[in-house]
Amino acid sequence: MKKGYWISLYFKIDNQENLKRYAETVTPIIKSFGGKPLVRGGKHETYDGDNFVRTVIWEFPSYQKALECHNSKEYQNGWSLAKDTTKRHMQIVEGFNIE
């Protein structure tokens, strides 16, 4: 089974406190769907394209679990804490398996 990944590239964060409350609220929700944080901010260098202020990547046991988590009422309620003060590009991607 191929894994699923949430990839969030943040363009703008107008309120760090809202983002912090969002992260504290949704982290246990995401983990309950099997989500594992791979990247959450940190140092970065941009070589091509836009320079995003923050990058977050979550790995899920499957693409379906990643979709279920994102579409859950619990996650959507959590996202409402930051969505009006945060601009991001967020996509869910199916992993590649060569095994």
Side-chain angles (χ1 to χ4, degrees), residues 23-87:
E24 290 170 349
T25 300
V26 302
T27 294
I29 295 166
I30 295 170
K31 286 183 175 182
S32 76
F33 283 87
K36 175 181 164 186
L38 299 181
V39 175
R40 291 184 81 178
K43 295 179 186 178
H44 71 279
E45 290 289 329
T46 300
Y47 294 100
D48 295 306
D50 296 327
N51 184 27
F52 298 98
V53 296
R54 182 174 174 81
T55 300
V56 177
I57 302 173
W58 283 88
E59 179 183 76
F60 288 82
S62 69
Y63 179 72
Q64 187 60 38
K65 276 292 184 192
L67 292 173
E68 288 174 18
C69 181
H70 180 269
N71 296 330
S72 72
K73 179 181 176 185
E74 296 83 6
Y75 175 77
Q76 290 300 317
N77 286 341
W79 173 234
S80 71
L81 297 170
K83 73 178 181 181
D84 292 334
T85 58
T86 304
K87 294 188 186 315

Side-chain angles (χ1 to χ4, degrees), residues 9-29:
L9 305 169
Y10 288 76
F11 294 97
K12 188 175 180 183
I13 301 167
D14 288 333
N15 187 314
Q16 290 289 337
E17 190 59 36
N18 285 356
L19 188 64
K20 181 179 177 186
R21 285 187 11 242
Y22 155 74
E24 290 170 349
T25 300
V26 302
T27 294
I29 295 166

